[in-house]
Amino acid sequence: MGLLGARLYVAFDASAVTGAIVQRGLQGRSLRAFAHAALPAGALDPSGTTPNLVRPEEVRDSLRRVLAEVDHAGVAGTLVLPHGVARIALLEPPVGVDERDFVRFRLAPSLPWPSGEAIFDSLPTGKGRVVGAAVRRTVVAEYEQAAAMAGVAVEGVNLDPLLALVGLRRDVPEARAHVMLGDVAFCLAAFREGALVALRHRRRDRSEGESGRLLAEAERTMGDGPLGRVRLAVSGPGAAALRRELGEVERGSDGAWEWPEAAEASWLSGVLA
Amino acid sequence: MRAQPDFSTSPRPQRPAGWEVAAATLAALLLAIAAHGAWRARAEAGEVKARLAEVRREIDSAQSRLRGLGARTAATEEMFALAAVASEAPPGQVVADVAAALPGDVRLERLSIAYGRTVSLEVDVVARGPEAWDGFLERLEREPSLQEVTSGPETREGEVRTTVRARYVGGGR
C-alpha cells in the first residue's frame, strides 16, 4: 500500500471491465496494478434509464478475472460508471447556494425518470462553475451489487466523464475541444483560457461518418465556426480511426491519454492527475 | 479538500486514507505529550505552592520570634532601668536620709521602699505629740532627697500615729 493510502478503481463499459489500484505517495499518485477483461458483446449496455447489466453473470465473471489480477485485499473500491449512464451539464450556481442542491434544481425537471429516483452530485471546475450530474438509483445499484458480489468493498461511485474532466482541467492553456469517447457515448468538453466553457454528453453513433459528426459537434460547441485555430483532442475506444479520418487532430494529453484505444484512458488520466 | 463526487446508493463516510490515519495518530501522540506535560506542570505547580506555603510559615515563625526578641529586649531595658534606679538609691542610703530627718520625739516604726521607675517610700511613724509631728513634716519637706511628701490620716490625741508617703530622688547628702 502507498505511504498515503491506496484505492481500487473498477470501471465498466460495454466492451470491458477494468481494475486499477492507485496508490498515493509523497510524490503523488501512481498506478500499482492494472487489469482489463473484455466483456462479451451485449452483456453490458450503458444506459441512463434501462437496466445496464443485461447479462449480469457474464459481467461478474469479467470482473472476477480483473480482481484476480490485482491485489485489492483491504483496499476500498470506487466504481467508475461509463459514459452514457448519467445526465450531465455545466452549471453556474449562484454564490452561496449549495452546489448539489442547485444541480438537483436544474437537472431534476429534465430527467427521463422520476427525480426522486435520481442521485445528484457535482464536480467544481473553477470560476464558479460546476459539472452537475444525475444518475438513476437503480442503475447505480446494479453496478454496486455486481461489484459487491465479486468481492469489492465499494466505498464510492463516480462517473467516467467526471473523473476524466479532473485530468483535463490542468493542461489546457488555450482553446481546445476534448472528445472523450466511451463505448456507447462520448463527452465533449470545450476549454478557453484554461476554463471549461461548454460541455456536451451524447450517445455515440459509430456508423460511417462519426468523425464528421464529432467535428461538427465540436464546432457547434466552441461556437467559432470551422475549428481553424481551435485544437481538437480525441481519446478513447475508436479514437485512432477517428483521428486518422480527421487528419491533424491530437491524441489528447500526456500519460494515460497516450493509449490510443483504451476505453479507460480518460478516467484513469483523471485519477492519476 | 472537497471529496470526489459520490453517486453511491448508500453513501458512507469515506475510509480515512493512510496519511489521514498517520496524521490522526501523530495528533493523538502530540495531545498525549501535551497532556503529560500539563499534568507534570500542574504537579510541579502544586509542589511549588506547598513549598511557598512552607516558606510563608517559616517567615511567620521567624517574625514571631523576632517580635518575642523585641519584647524581651524591652523587658531587659526595664530591668536595667530598675537596676540603675536601685543603684542610685540603695536601701541603706534611703534609711539614712529618712533617719536624718527624724527629730528625737518621733519614732520610726516601719519603712517600705518600692523600686520602680521611681523609688517610693512609705513610712509609719509615731510622734510624741502634735508639735513633734508638725516639726517632723517640716523637716521631711525640706529634705532635698524627698519629694511629693504626703501624710495619711493622723490621730492627735496624745501620740500621733500616721503614715507618710514620699518619692525618694536621692542626692540629699
Side-chain angles (χ1 to χ4, degrees):
Chain A
M1 185 175 289
L3 180 63
L4 302 181
R7 181 163 281 260
L8 167 68
Y9 287 87
V10 178
F12 300 86
D13 211 335
S15 63
V17 176
T18 306
I21 291 185
V22 176
Q23 61 185 14
R24 286 183 294 181
L26 295 177
Q27 294 182 332
R29 300 179 181 189
S30 59
L31 191 62
R32 191 180 80 189
F34 179 83
H36 175 100
L39 276 172
L44 192 154
D45 179 21
S47 164
T49 53
T50 59
N52 283 213
L53 275 61
V54 179
R55 297 195 296 278
E57 190 54 44
E58 294 178 24
V59 175
R60 284 196 292 271
D61 286 345
S62 294
L63 179 54
R64 288 192 188 99
R65 288 203 302 277
V66 165
L67 295 174
E69 293 185 37
V70 295
D71 179 15
H72 67 99
V75 180
T78 292
L79 304 186
V80 182
L81 307 192
H83 289 268
V85 302
R87 176 62 58 92
I88 296 175
L90 181 63
L91 304 171
E92 191 166 341
V95 176
V97 173
D98 182 79
E99 293 173 0
R100 195 175 301 181
D101 289 344
F102 186 74
V103 169
R104 182 189 304 273
F105 167 72
R106 288 293 304 273
L107 294 186
S110 66
L111 297 176
W113 64 84
S115 61
E117 295 180 16
I119 300 170
F120 300 88
D121 209 337
S122 63
L123 174 73
T125 61
K127 301 197 174 179
R129 294 182 178 135
V130 302
V131 174
V135 193
R136 195 170 191 178
R137 186 176 296 273
T138 52
V139 170
V140 177
E142 283 185 274
Y143 290 98
E144 287 179 331
Q145 188 176 9
M149 290 178 70
V152 178
V154 180
E155 288 197 357
V157 176
N158 209 332
L159 304 176
D160 188 326
L162 297 194
L163 276 173
L165 282 169
V166 173
L168 289 181
R169 290 206 314 265
R170 305 181 185 190
D171 47 26
V172 277
E174 70 284 326
R176 176 183 290 199
H178 275 272
V179 176
M180 296 163 282
L181 299 168
D183 285 328
V184 302
F186 71 92
C187 186
L188 193 154
F191 288 85
R192 287 189 187 280
E193 298 175 354
L196 182 63
V197 294
L199 190 69
R200 302 282 183 272
H201 195 227
R202 301 277 188 268
R203 300 288 293 183
R204 280 184 75 174
D205 178 359
R206 301 185 76 161
S207 62
E208 191 173 348
E210 184 182 21
S211 60
R213 291 191 291 276
L214 281 177
L215 185 58
E217 183 74 38
E219 288 172 345
R220 281 197 300 276
T221 302
M222 297 302 290
D224 289 341
L227 273 178
R229 294 187 304 276
V230 178
R231 302 171 75 182
L232 178 66
V234 181
S235 308
L242 292 173
R243 283 197 293 268
R244 277 195 301 274
E245 292 174 20
L246 290 168
E248 297 180 359
V249 173
E250 297 179 8
R251 278 180 164 184
S253 301
D254 294 335
W257 287 92
E258 294 298 323
W259 304 347
E261 293 292 324
E264 57 275 359
S266 55
W267 67 262
L268 198 51
S269 175
V271 167
L272 295 173
Chain B
M1 190 178 77
R2 188 185 192 278
Q4 287 186 351
D6 186 8
F7 297 89
S8 303
T9 55
S10 53
R12 71 212 79 184
Q14 291 200 341
R15 198 163 54 177
W19 70 271
E20 290 170 323
V21 173
T25 305
L26 181 61
L29 185 63
L30 291 175
L31 181 64
I33 291 172
H36 180 65
W39 182 82
R40 284 192 58 185
R42 188 175 176 182
E44 285 176 5
E47 290 175 6
V48 168
K49 279 182 181 175
R51 178 66 187 142
L52 180 63
E54 187 180 340
V55 168
R56 280 182 174 154
R57 282 195 299 274
E58 288 176 359
I59 289 172
D60 290 344
S61 173
Q63 284 179 337
S64 298
R65 284 200 302 274
L66 190 59
R67 279 194 295 272
L69 286 173
R72 196 171 300 172
T73 301
T76 305
E77 285 176 358
E78 180 78 14
M79 190 172 66
F80 277 125
L82 288 175
V85 170
S87 67
E88 290 175 0
Q93 181 65 47
V94 174
V95 171
D97 287 348
V98 172
L102 282 176
D105 47 2
V106 176
R107 185 176 73 246
L108 178 66
E109 291 203 328
R110 185 179 67 87
L111 173 61
S112 169
I113 306 171
Y115 289 96
R117 291 196 174 276
T118 60
V119 180
S120 301
L121 304 182
E122 200 172 86
V123 185
D124 292 347
V125 293
V126 179
R128 189 168 294 174
E131 294 79 13
W133 166 243
D134 292 338
F136 174 59
L137 271 184
E138 285 176 13
R139 294 181 67 164
L140 279 181
E141 288 169 353
R142 286 199 302 271
E143 175 61 41
S145 62
L146 299 175
Q147 289 183 354
E148 300 171 14
V149 177
T150 57
S151 61
E154 51 193 60
T155 58
R156 286 184 173 258
E157 293 179 2
E159 289 182 342
V160 177
R161 288 180 175 275
T162 187
T163 299
V164 177
R165 291 185 177 80
R167 185 160 66 85
Y168 183 82
V169 296
R173 291 176 176 79

